Amino acid sequence: NNPVLRRMQTVDHITLVEHEELVVPPDLLPSPAVQIPPGEVTLKQQQPHSEVLTPQEPRHFCTFCCLRLRRMLTSLKDRWVSLNLATRRIVIAIAVLVVVLSVVVIATVSKSASIKEPKIEPIWENIRLPETTHPILYNVKLEIDLTNEVFFGSEDVIMNVTNATAVLLIHVTGSRDEANQRLMNVTEARLYSVTAGKERDTYIEGTAHSIDHTFTNTVNDYYVMKMKSTLEPGLYKLHMTWDAKLVRGLDGIYLSTYKDSSNVTHKLLASQMEPLAARKVIPCFDEPSFKAEFKMEIVSEEKYPLVLWNMPETSMDNAERNGFKKRVFEKSVKMSTYLLAFVIADFKCTEVLTTDTDSKVKVRTCGRKDPISEGDGDFSNGANKKIIEKYEEFYGEPFPLPKIDSVAVPDFSAGAMENWGLILYRETALLYNNEKDSLSNKARVNTVVAHELAHQWFGNLVTMKWWNDLWLNEGFASYVEWIGSDHSEPDWNYNDYRTYSDRARAFNIDAYSSSRPVSIGVEKPSDISAQFDSISYSKGSAILLQAKMFMDYPKPGSQTTQNLFDKAIQNYIKKYKYSNTVQDDLYREMQKVYSEDGNDKEVNISKVMDTWTLQMNFPIVSVDQYDDKNVILSQSRFLISGSDASDDKPSPFGYQWYVPIEYRINNSSAVMDFKWLKPNSRLQLPFDVEKDEYIQLNLGSNGYYVVDYSYNIFMKLYNAIVKKTLNLTTSEKQGLLYDTFLLVSLGNKPMDKALDLLKAILADNDAYIPLKEISRQLSTIARHIREVRVEESNQEVYLSKKWKDKWKADIQEVYEKHGKPYFKATNSDTLPEKSNGTYFQKRALIKFAVALGCSYGVADCEKEAITMFKNYKSDKENNPLNEDFKGTILNVVMSQDPSEELTENWYLMWDRYQQSSQQNEKETIYYALGLVQDEKILLDFAKKCLDKTLVRSSDSLYILGRSLTQTYLGCNVSWAFMKDNWDTISEGFDGALFAVDAYVSGVLSSFTQQSMLTEIEEFFSTRMDSLKSGKAAYLGAIQSIKANIVWLEKHENTIKDYVETSGN
């Protein structure tokens, strides 16, 4: 009956926890008096006791307690003395028994506690979720209020606990406001045991489990729930509620705005969950392998009539809240959280098309009302239908969802996102207007649609287990997109673009020591974002093309190409649908079909592919004369000169590869053959140095390696090209040129011989892709030397100007042959139409020939461009710029010498940029605006990019990194602007993905001087963390600058000599 007294912050009252009558000294009574509820505690005032301290002494409260205890002990002593001996013995026996029982009970409880309350490891410090808990079904309800820019959520997550655990982790994070405060607030979390009901997706609620306490781990975005007792294996329901702010970001669910043709501003909600933003929308197990089904209910304002989710809407009713509608959607298939998608907008959609296959998939394209009403969504909608039909055949698996909605979003970070059933795109990647956009815009729409639809099987239906194998998603989609694009527009010869796009793009990164393996460990969240690069996409695609080449190569004695690679893909999809895989799962399916078909049993697909995915870089295959009758092949690692290998990454294979060698001698198919160049070995091939005219390796440029022919063998190949006895395909011309100049940068080939090869191919080329490669190599050299000054006519000029002058005559021939007939101010509407089976390639060649001619200062070209612009300027309605040539015309105008007229033209086009509702036109304009050679205007342009009322946040980093850096002056302005505004700019990196790489690499990578390298490294030495996902791009840029410095040291004098020689 001892009272428990608890002292509060002040000494103006006492709380009595146990009820009894207590005599309190007057100095401890509260003043003023406190009203005490009757019947609880009676306080009696008495005169001060002699042993009670006065209020002035600070220990009075503790002393009072001690006095009270002493009185109690004295009372017990008096009672003990009054007992007789027998009674005392009984009391002692009882006391001993109580002690013994207490010990037993404590021991039992301790043992039980060791089972029920295991030591809790800090599992929340691991980036990976524990395998003890897996979701089965999410039942989600969202109320989204665009007007007040908030949303509320509740969910029941049915999950299976497979191992006893005292801790539950679930991903929860929130967007952050300008003060970096989290904007998502969990308001409730409750846990229940459940049992499965008789009907599907019904669960009967059972015991409630107490959560002892919760906290967040902000490093790994965990909401941590520590239970009061251990959860045994079984089914559970986690009920959670939350609220959050809607922000104008680029990931999670985010707000955006746009203006219609009447200049009225509208809000919309869009989403981007990949890779780590689903946790910003709902608490979830946000890893690719934690697949589950989803039920969704969305309450939103009725003034936004288009409400889309991954699955079709099943019902719509009035919500309890006035002015809101409640929509219920069909339950999803089993899928990963990063594929969730939401759109709420006042948009319009095209008519619904239905595929002609058994799956009867409904497709439509949605976007802003103005462009959709003008038919801008019709081309992509038709392409969607055709490509889905093709992919069902290619994958051997019907499309698993009833619909595909493709939505053009004004603000979107990536080109598009493959959300299952609801694909979101940048407007430039989905909308095409036949009257307002160029044919290249149409081509882009076709390829991006094909890429995103490829993901619906490879990525969505079968998903990588963890982000280290992202290439299984993106590499495959990049590979398959060429199949879909070619089916949609078979006259366009898309396969000609494959090596230019994928192989070369991958080499641009993979040639440096800053590269990475295709499959690499992921240790922290920022590592995940860094996986979205050309290694996952382009190198992944290139090594798959190589795998198809060696798997499908005809058996000995046969001329018939096998179809084993496609068969392996179909088996893989069928076996692992709705599941997650690692790359070895793919290799096993490839091995089965390869071995079963009677091919070389010694070829181990896993061993072969591991050398391409588990180590970075790529091999040089050297071809040397062995004797009069043979050549010898060997391999070594390609690492570009100047690339710093001081922090080189070790390779499990010593930078050796299984290299598939497809070759031919002379030009006869009879001597075509296929061999393996294995790690740490050499390969001998027959080649009669006297009789055989040439030997060519890497046919079709299908191999992911560079061929380095020794001088004599290279000259035989070169002479065959000049004599036209070797007819290279479009891909082979591009590949040979690109590889040769790579070897020049390495020091393995002389610059003059590479330029001779370039001129030989230029002289006999009527194809678009080789011309683009020629332009790329000439432009690369010009970029390397643009800081170098030389004397000309007693004054200093830039060497890059003399370089372009050197090539002007050659480029003029190309312009006059392919471009000039179509580039006339009086008549520029005579481009080939679709009636010509090769019209796309032809139009692309014409457009590029004009662009090339004007960029090299061909007088006729520049004159026509300036005349067209003046006509447009005087009467925009009647003299619109031809869409195929608009970019070239604006580039010429903006590249003129600084003058009042140039300033006037620049701001005229800036105003047009602001007014235009066509995103393709805006992109064309902003690339031209970055060419101006006026530092003041460039700085003003850079400042405008940080104003979200002038430039969309999804465009700003691309403009700063790609448009402003096209010239030497622009690079210097961009670098100065980066330094002065780094904190502001880097805040926009979250959720920007590809734009971050484009910005960091674009600003930094083209410098060629040691002083700039030192300045850049010093600036970022204290800012590495602020680079976030752009760290890999920064390291790559540093390696690029080092390589540029070495390149210039090697080749500056050669280029000077070359431009001084007479003739062409």
Side-chain angles (χ1 to χ4, degrees), residues 570-614:
Q570 291 183 358
N571 292 348
Y572 173 83
I573 293 290
K574 200 172 296 293
K575 181 175 181 178
Y576 293 107
K577 59 184 177 182
Y578 302 110
S579 300
N580 297 83
T581 61
V582 297
Q583 61 181 22
D584 285 347
D585 296 320
L586 173 64
Y587 302 160
R588 276 191 291 272
E589 298 309 310
M590 292 166 65
Q591 187 71 58
K592 285 179 184 177
V593 298
Y594 190 73
S595 299
E596 289 172 359
D597 210 59
N599 289 285
D600 187 353
K601 298 292 194 298
E602 293 183 2
V603 175
N604 185 310
I605 300 292
S606 181
K607 283 186 177 181
V608 170
M609 293 299 292
D610 280 349
T611 64
W612 297 97
T613 62
L614 299 182

Short mmCIF file of all heavy atoms in Angstrom, two decimals, residues 570-614:
data_model
loop_
_atom_site.label_atom_id
_atom_site.label_comp_id
_atom_site.label_asym_id
_atom_site.label_seq_id
_atom_site.Cartn_x
_atom_site.Cartn_y
_atom_site.Cartn_z
N GLN A 570 12.01 -16.83 -76.00
CA GLN A 570 10.64 -17.29 -75.78
C GLN A 570 10.56 -18.27 -74.60
O GLN A 570 9.65 -18.17 -73.76
CB GLN A 570 10.10 -17.95 -77.05
CG GLN A 570 9.87 -16.97 -78.19
CD GLN A 570 9.27 -17.63 -79.41
OE1 GLN A 570 9.04 -18.84 -79.45
NE2 GLN A 570 9.00 -16.83 -80.44
N ASN A 571 11.51 -19.18 -74.53
CA ASN A 571 11.52 -20.12 -73.41
C ASN A 571 11.73 -19.40 -72.08
O ASN A 571 11.12 -19.75 -71.06
CB ASN A 571 12.63 -21.16 -73.60
CG ASN A 571 12.36 -22.09 -74.77
OD1 ASN A 571 11.25 -22.13 -75.31
ND2 ASN A 571 13.37 -22.84 -75.18
N TYR A 572 12.58 -18.43 -72.10
CA TYR A 572 12.87 -17.63 -70.89
C TYR A 572 11.63 -16.90 -70.41
O TYR A 572 11.29 -16.91 -69.22
CB TYR A 572 14.00 -16.66 -71.22
CG TYR A 572 14.35 -15.65 -70.17
CD1 TYR A 572 15.20 -15.97 -69.11
CD2 TYR A 572 13.88 -14.34 -70.26
CE1 TYR A 572 15.55 -15.02 -68.16
CE2 TYR A 572 14.22 -13.38 -69.32
CZ TYR A 572 15.06 -13.72 -68.27
OH TYR A 572 15.40 -12.78 -67.34
N ILE A 573 10.92 -16.24 -71.33
CA ILE A 573 9.71 -15.51 -70.97
C ILE A 573 8.65 -16.46 -70.41
O ILE A 573 8.00 -16.19 -69.39
CB ILE A 573 9.15 -14.75 -72.20
CG1 ILE A 573 10.11 -13.63 -72.61
CG2 ILE A 573 7.76 -14.21 -71.93
CD1 ILE A 573 10.17 -12.47 -71.66
N LYS A 574 8.47 -17.57 -71.08
CA LYS A 574 7.44 -18.53 -70.66
C LYS A 574 7.74 -19.11 -69.28
O LYS A 574 6.86 -19.26 -68.44
CB LYS A 574 7.34 -19.66 -71.69
CG LYS A 574 6.04 -20.45 -71.64
CD LYS A 574 5.94 -21.40 -72.81
CE LYS A 574 5.86 -20.67 -74.13
NZ LYS A 574 4.61 -19.89 -74.29
N LYS A 575 9.00 -19.39 -69.01
CA LYS A 575 9.38 -20.03 -67.75
C LYS A 575 9.31 -19.08 -66.56
O LYS A 575 8.90 -19.46 -65.47
CB LYS A 575 10.79 -20.61 -67.87
CG LYS A 575 11.28 -21.33 -66.61
CD LYS A 575 12.63 -21.99 -66.84
CE LYS A 575 13.10 -22.73 -65.60
NZ LYS A 575 14.40 -23.42 -65.84
N TYR A 576 9.67 -17.81 -66.79
CA TYR A 576 9.83 -16.90 -65.65
C TYR A 576 8.79 -15.79 -65.60
O TYR A 576 8.97 -14.82 -64.87
CB TYR A 576 11.23 -16.28 -65.69
CG TYR A 576 12.33 -17.28 -65.46
CD1 TYR A 576 13.15 -17.71 -66.50
CD2 TYR A 576 12.56 -17.81 -64.19
CE1 TYR A 576 14.16 -18.62 -66.30
CE2 TYR A 576 13.57 -18.73 -63.97
CZ TYR A 576 14.37 -19.13 -65.03
OH TYR A 576 15.37 -20.05 -64.82
N LYS A 577 7.70 -15.91 -66.35
CA LYS A 577 6.70 -14.83 -66.34
C LYS A 577 6.14 -14.63 -64.93
O LYS A 577 5.96 -15.59 -64.18
CB LYS A 577 5.59 -15.11 -67.35
CG LYS A 577 4.82 -16.39 -67.15
CD LYS A 577 3.81 -16.55 -68.29
CE LYS A 577 3.05 -17.87 -68.19
NZ LYS A 577 2.11 -18.04 -69.31
N TYR A 578 5.91 -13.38 -64.60
CA TYR A 578 5.46 -12.92 -63.27
C TYR A 578 6.50 -13.18 -62.19
O TYR A 578 6.18 -13.12 -61.00
CB TYR A 578 4.12 -13.53 -62.88
CG TYR A 578 3.02 -13.24 -63.86
CD1 TYR A 578 2.49 -14.24 -64.66
CD2 TYR A 578 2.53 -11.95 -64.03
CE1 TYR A 578 1.49 -13.98 -65.59
CE2 TYR A 578 1.54 -11.67 -64.95
CZ TYR A 578 1.02 -12.69 -65.73
OH TYR A 578 0.04 -12.40 -66.64
N SER A 579 7.75 -13.47 -62.59
CA SER A 579 8.80 -13.76 -61.61
C SER A 579 9.97 -12.81 -61.82
O SER A 579 9.94 -11.92 -62.65
CB SER A 579 9.27 -15.21 -61.76
OG SER A 579 8.22 -16.11 -61.55
N ASN A 580 11.01 -13.06 -61.03
CA ASN A 580 12.23 -12.28 -61.12
C ASN A 580 13.41 -13.18 -61.42
O ASN A 580 13.41 -14.35 -61.05
CB ASN A 580 12.49 -11.54 -59.80
CG ASN A 580 11.40 -10.54 -59.48
OD1 ASN A 580 10.36 -10.89 -58.94
ND2 ASN A 580 11.62 -9.29 -59.81
N THR A 581 14.40 -12.62 -62.12
CA THR A 581 15.51 -13.44 -62.57
C THR A 581 16.84 -12.73 -62.35
O THR A 581 16.90 -11.52 -62.11
CB THR A 581 15.40 -13.75 -64.07
OG1 THR A 581 15.42 -12.52 -64.81
CG2 THR A 581 14.12 -14.51 -64.39
N VAL A 582 17.90 -13.52 -62.45
CA VAL A 582 19.27 -13.00 -62.56
C VAL A 582 19.78 -13.39 -63.94
O VAL A 582 19.15 -14.20 -64.64
CB VAL A 582 20.17 -13.56 -61.45
CG1 VAL A 582 19.68 -13.10 -60.09
CG2 VAL A 582 20.24 -15.09 -61.49
N GLN A 583 20.91 -12.84 -64.34
CA GLN A 583 21.37 -13.07 -65.71
C GLN A 583 21.66 -14.55 -65.98
O GLN A 583 21.51 -15.02 -67.11
CB GLN A 583 22.59 -12.21 -66.01
CG GLN A 583 23.80 -12.45 -65.16
CD GLN A 583 24.96 -11.52 -65.53
OE1 GLN A 583 24.77 -10.45 -66.12
NE2 GLN A 583 26.17 -11.93 -65.21
N ASP A 584 22.04 -15.30 -64.95
CA ASP A 584 22.32 -16.73 -65.16
C ASP A 584 21.08 -17.50 -65.60
O ASP A 584 21.19 -18.52 -66.30
CB ASP A 584 22.88 -17.35 -63.88
CG ASP A 584 24.34 -16.96 -63.65
OD1 ASP A 584 24.95 -16.43 -64.59
OD2 ASP A 584 24.85 -17.19 -62.54
N ASP A 585 19.89 -17.03 -65.21
CA ASP A 585 18.66 -17.69 -65.65
C ASP A 585 18.50 -17.58 -67.16
O ASP A 585 18.09 -18.53 -67.83
CB ASP A 585 17.45 -17.07 -64.95
CG ASP A 585 17.47 -17.27 -63.44
OD1 ASP A 585 17.84 -18.37 -63.00
OD2 ASP A 585 17.12 -16.33 -62.71
N LEU A 586 18.84 -16.42 -67.69
CA LEU A 586 18.81 -16.23 -69.14
C LEU A 586 19.83 -17.12 -69.82
O LEU A 586 19.54 -17.77 -70.83
CB LEU A 586 19.07 -14.76 -69.49
CG LEU A 586 19.23 -14.43 -70.97
CD1 LEU A 586 17.95 -14.71 -71.74
CD2 LEU A 586 19.65 -12.96 -71.14
N TYR A 587 21.03 -17.17 -69.27
CA TYR A 587 22.09 -17.97 -69.89
C TYR A 587 21.73 -19.45 -69.94
O TYR A 587 22.07 -20.14 -70.91
CB TYR A 587 23.40 -17.80 -69.12
CG TYR A 587 23.90 -16.38 -69.03
CD1 TYR A 587 24.82 -16.01 -68.04
CD2 TYR A 587 23.47 -15.40 -69.92
CE1 TYR A 587 25.29 -14.71 -67.96
CE2 TYR A 587 23.93 -14.11 -69.83
CZ TYR A 587 24.84 -13.76 -68.85
OH TYR A 587 25.31 -12.48 -68.75
N ARG A 588 21.04 -19.94 -68.91
CA ARG A 588 20.64 -21.36 -68.91
C ARG A 588 19.70 -21.66 -70.05
O ARG A 588 19.81 -22.72 -70.69
CB ARG A 588 20.01 -21.72 -67.57
CG ARG A 588 21.02 -22.08 -66.48
CD ARG A 588 20.35 -22.69 -65.27
NE ARG A 588 19.53 -21.72 -64.56
CZ ARG A 588 19.99 -20.93 -63.59
NH1 ARG A 588 21.25 -20.99 -63.24
NH2 ARG A 588 19.19 -20.08 -62.99
N GLU A 589 18.77 -20.75 -70.32
CA GLU A 589 17.83 -20.98 -71.43
C GLU A 589 18.56 -20.89 -72.77
O GLU A 589 18.26 -21.64 -73.70
CB GLU A 589 16.69 -19.96 -71.37
CG GLU A 589 15.84 -20.05 -70.12
CD GLU A 589 15.34 -21.46 -69.84
OE1 GLU A 589 14.80 -22.09 -70.77
OE2 GLU A 589 15.53 -21.95 -68.70
N MET A 590 19.52 -20.00 -72.88
CA MET A 590 20.32 -19.91 -74.10
C MET A 590 21.14 -21.19 -74.29
O MET A 590 21.24 -21.71 -75.40
CB MET A 590 21.26 -18.69 -74.03
CG MET A 590 20.54 -17.35 -74.06
SD MET A 590 21.59 -15.94 -73.58
CE MET A 590 22.79 -15.93 -74.91
N GLN A 591 21.69 -21.70 -73.22
CA GLN A 591 22.52 -22.91 -73.30
C GLN A 591 21.70 -24.11 -73.74
O GLN A 591 22.15 -24.93 -74.55
CB GLN A 591 23.15 -23.20 -71.93
CG GLN A 591 24.16 -24.34 -71.95
CD GLN A 591 25.44 -23.96 -72.67
OE1 GLN A 591 26.10 -23.00 -72.29
NE2 GLN A 591 25.79 -24.70 -73.70
N LYS A 592 20.48 -24.22 -73.22
CA LYS A 592 19.63 -25.38 -73.54
C LYS A 592 19.38 -25.47 -75.04
O LYS A 592 19.58 -26.52 -75.65
CB LYS A 592 18.30 -25.28 -72.79
CG LYS A 592 18.38 -25.61 -71.31
CD LYS A 592 17.02 -25.46 -70.64
CE LYS A 592 17.10 -25.68 -69.14
NZ LYS A 592 15.79 -25.46 -68.48
N VAL A 593 18.93 -24.37 -75.62
CA VAL A 593 18.58 -24.43 -77.05
C VAL A 593 19.84 -24.55 -77.90
O VAL A 593 19.83 -25.19 -78.95
CB VAL A 593 17.74 -23.22 -77.49
CG1 VAL A 593 16.41 -23.17 -76.76
CG2 VAL A 593 18.49 -21.91 -77.31
N TYR A 594 20.94 -23.95 -77.44
CA TYR A 594 22.18 -24.01 -78.21
C TYR A 594 22.74 -25.43 -78.23
O TYR A 594 23.16 -25.93 -79.28
CB TYR A 594 23.20 -23.03 -77.63
CG TYR A 594 24.43 -22.83 -78.47
CD1 TYR A 594 24.37 -22.09 -79.65
CD2 TYR A 594 25.66 -23.37 -78.11
CE1 TYR A 594 25.50 -21.88 -80.43
CE2 TYR A 594 26.79 -23.18 -78.88
CZ TYR A 594 26.70 -22.43 -80.05
OH TYR A 594 27.82 -22.25 -80.82
N SER A 595 22.75 -26.06 -77.09
CA SER A 595 23.31 -27.42 -77.00
C SER A 595 22.41 -28.46 -77.62
O SER A 595 22.85 -29.40 -78.28
CB SER A 595 23.59 -27.77 -75.54
OG SER A 595 24.52 -26.88 -74.98
N GLU A 596 21.09 -28.31 -77.42
CA GLU A 596 20.14 -29.30 -77.92
C GLU A 596 20.10 -29.33 -79.44
O GLU A 596 19.70 -30.33 -80.03
CB GLU A 596 18.74 -29.00 -77.37
CG GLU A 596 18.59 -29.28 -75.88
CD GLU A 596 17.26 -28.77 -75.34
OE1 GLU A 596 16.48 -28.19 -76.15
OE2 GLU A 596 17.00 -28.95 -74.14
N ASP A 597 20.52 -28.24 -80.07
CA ASP A 597 20.44 -28.17 -81.53
C ASP A 597 21.71 -28.70 -82.21
O ASP A 597 21.92 -28.45 -83.39
CB ASP A 597 20.18 -26.72 -81.97
CG ASP A 597 19.39 -26.66 -83.26
OD1 ASP A 597 18.27 -27.19 -83.31
OD2 ASP A 597 19.92 -26.09 -84.24
N GLY A 598 22.54 -29.37 -81.44
CA GLY A 598 23.70 -30.01 -82.04
C GLY A 598 24.89 -29.11 -82.26
O GLY A 598 25.79 -29.43 -83.02
N ASN A 599 24.92 -27.95 -81.60
CA ASN A 599 26.07 -27.06 -81.74
C ASN A 599 27.20 -27.51 -80.81
O ASN A 599 27.08 -28.47 -80.05
CB ASN A 599 25.64 -25.63 -81.41
CG ASN A 599 24.75 -25.04 -82.48
OD1 ASN A 599 25.21 -24.66 -83.55
ND2 ASN A 599 23.45 -24.97 -82.19
N ASP A 600 28.27 -26.77 -80.86
CA ASP A 600 29.48 -27.12 -80.11
C ASP A 600 29.14 -27.24 -78.62
O ASP A 600 28.81 -26.25 -77.96
CB ASP A 600 30.53 -26.02 -80.33
CG ASP A 600 31.87 -26.39 -79.72
OD1 ASP A 600 31.94 -27.41 -79.02
OD2 ASP A 600 32.83 -25.63 -79.94
N LYS A 601 29.24 -28.46 -78.10
CA LYS A 601 28.93 -28.71 -76.69
C LYS A 601 29.94 -28.06 -75.75
O LYS A 601 29.68 -27.86 -74.57
CB LYS A 601 28.89 -30.23 -76.42
CG LYS A 601 27.82 -30.98 -77.20
CD LYS A 601 26.41 -30.61 -76.75
CE LYS A 601 25.36 -31.58 -77.27
NZ LYS A 601 25.28 -31.61 -78.73
N GLU A 602 31.11 -27.73 -76.29
CA GLU A 602 32.14 -27.14 -75.44
C GLU A 602 31.90 -25.66 -75.18
O GLU A 602 32.54 -25.08 -74.30
CB GLU A 602 33.51 -27.33 -76.08
CG GLU A 602 33.95 -28.80 -76.15
CD GLU A 602 35.35 -28.93 -76.73
OE1 GLU A 602 35.96 -27.88 -77.02
OE2 GLU A 602 35.81 -30.07 -76.88
N VAL A 603 30.99 -25.05 -75.93
CA VAL A 603 30.71 -23.64 -75.73
C VAL A 603 29.79 -23.48 -74.53
O VAL A 603 28.64 -23.92 -74.54
CB VAL A 603 30.04 -23.02 -76.98
CG1 VAL A 603 29.65 -21.57 -76.72
CG2 VAL A 603 30.99 -23.10 -78.17
N ASN A 604 30.30 -22.89 -73.48
CA ASN A 604 29.53 -22.64 -72.27
C ASN A 604 29.03 -21.20 -72.32
O ASN A 604 29.81 -20.26 -72.16
CB ASN A 604 30.41 -22.88 -71.04
CG ASN A 604 29.64 -22.76 -69.74
OD1 ASN A 604 28.93 -21.79 -69.52
ND2 ASN A 604 29.80 -23.75 -68.88
N ILE A 605 27.72 -21.05 -72.56
CA ILE A 605 27.15 -19.71 -72.75
C ILE A 605 27.40 -18.83 -71.53
O ILE A 605 27.73 -17.65 -71.66
CB ILE A 605 25.64 -19.80 -73.02
CG1 ILE A 605 25.36 -20.61 -74.29
CG2 ILE A 605 25.03 -18.41 -73.13
CD1 ILE A 605 25.80 -19.97 -75.56
N SER A 606 27.26 -19.38 -70.35
CA SER A 606 27.47 -18.58 -69.14
C SER A 606 28.89 -18.06 -69.06
O SER A 606 29.12 -16.88 -68.76
CB SER A 606 27.14 -19.42 -67.90
OG SER A 606 27.32 -18.66 -66.73
N LYS A 607 29.86 -18.92 -69.35
CA LYS A 607 31.26 -18.49 -69.33
C LYS A 607 31.52 -17.41 -70.37
O LYS A 607 32.23 -16.43 -70.13
CB LYS A 607 32.19 -19.68 -69.56
CG LYS A 607 32.39 -20.59 -68.35
CD LYS A 607 33.43 -21.64 -68.66
CE LYS A 607 33.69 -22.51 -67.43
NZ LYS A 607 34.73 -23.55 -67.71
N VAL A 608 30.94 -17.61 -71.55
CA VAL A 608 31.12 -16.62 -72.62
C VAL A 608 30.54 -15.28 -72.20
O VAL A 608 31.21 -14.24 -72.26
CB VAL A 608 30.45 -17.11 -73.92
CG1 VAL A 608 30.40 -15.98 -74.95
CG2 VAL A 608 31.19 -18.31 -74.49
N MET A 609 29.28 -15.27 -71.75
CA MET A 609 28.59 -14.02 -71.45
C MET A 609 29.16 -13.33 -70.22
O MET A 609 29.16 -12.09 -70.15
CB MET A 609 27.10 -14.29 -71.27
CG MET A 609 26.39 -14.73 -72.54
SD MET A 609 26.46 -13.50 -73.88
CE MET A 609 25.45 -12.19 -73.20
N ASP A 610 29.62 -14.10 -69.25
CA ASP A 610 30.19 -13.48 -68.05
C ASP A 610 31.38 -12.59 -68.38
O ASP A 610 31.60 -11.56 -67.73
CB ASP A 610 30.62 -14.56 -67.04
CG ASP A 610 29.45 -15.11 -66.24
OD1 ASP A 610 28.36 -14.53 -66.31
OD2 ASP A 610 29.64 -16.13 -65.55
N THR A 611 32.15 -12.96 -69.40
CA THR A 611 33.29 -12.12 -69.75
C THR A 611 32.85 -10.78 -70.32
O THR A 611 33.63 -9.82 -70.33
CB THR A 611 34.23 -12.82 -70.75
OG1 THR A 611 33.54 -13.04 -71.99
CG2 THR A 611 34.75 -14.13 -70.20
N TRP A 612 31.61 -10.70 -70.77
CA TRP A 612 31.09 -9.45 -71.33
C TRP A 612 30.27 -8.64 -70.33
O TRP A 612 30.09 -7.43 -70.52
CB TRP A 612 30.24 -9.75 -72.57
CG TRP A 612 31.04 -10.38 -73.67
CD1 TRP A 612 31.13 -11.72 -73.95
CD2 TRP A 612 31.91 -9.72 -74.58
NE1 TRP A 612 32.00 -11.93 -74.99
CE2 TRP A 612 32.49 -10.72 -75.41
CE3 TRP A 612 32.26 -8.39 -74.79
CZ2 TRP A 612 33.40 -10.40 -76.42
CZ3 TRP A 612 33.16 -8.09 -75.80
CH2 TRP A 612 33.72 -9.09 -76.61
N THR A 613 29.76 -9.29 -69.28
CA THR A 613 28.90 -8.57 -68.33
C THR A 613 29.55 -8.32 -66.98
O THR A 613 29.13 -7.42 -66.26
CB THR A 613 27.58 -9.32 -68.10
OG1 THR A 613 27.86 -10.61 -67.52
CG2 THR A 613 26.81 -9.50 -69.39
N LEU A 614 30.57 -9.09 -66.61
CA LEU A 614 31.16 -8.97 -65.28
C LEU A 614 32.50 -8.25 -65.28
O LEU A 614 33.16 -8.17 -64.25
CB LEU A 614 31.30 -10.36 -64.63
CG LEU A 614 30.00 -11.13 -64.43
CD1 LEU A 614 30.27 -12.45 -63.74
CD2 LEU A 614 28.98 -10.31 -63.63
#
